[in-house]
Amino acid sequence: MIKQWAEYVRTHDDSEWSRQQNRLIDSQLQSANEMAAAGDIDPVRFAAARDRLRDR
């Protein structure tokens, strides 16, 4: 995966991959904030939810 990412970064414009990374990070922060606001901060429940998403 690291080699693929390095190749992508070399072959695409900085602003393109930077924008994509910002979208990813922003969505992760939004999810974390929504979970915290809903009181879903139990690591065991978080892991169970993560595993359910992986199984889809």
Side-chain angles (χ1 to χ4, degrees), residues 3-13 16-17 20:
K3 289 180 181 181
Q4 290 174 338
W5 177 245
E7 177 66 21
Y8 182 84
V9 171
R10 279 194 299 273
T11 59
H12 290 77
D13 185 60
E16 180 182 353
W17 61 262
Q20 292 170 344

Side-chain angles (χ1 to χ4, degrees), residues 10-49:
R10 279 194 299 273
T11 59
H12 290 77
D13 185 60
D14 289 353
S15 63
E16 180 182 353
W17 61 262
S18 178
R19 186 173 45 253
Q20 292 170 344
Q21 288 295 307
N22 284 337
R23 251 188 259 142
L24 173 64
I25 293 167
D26 287 347
S27 70
Q28 290 174 326
L29 290 172
Q30 180 181 353
S31 294
N33 287 332
E34 289 171 0
M35 288 180 70
D40 293 335
I41 55 173
D42 179 5
V44 173
R45 289 180 58 200
F46 176 80

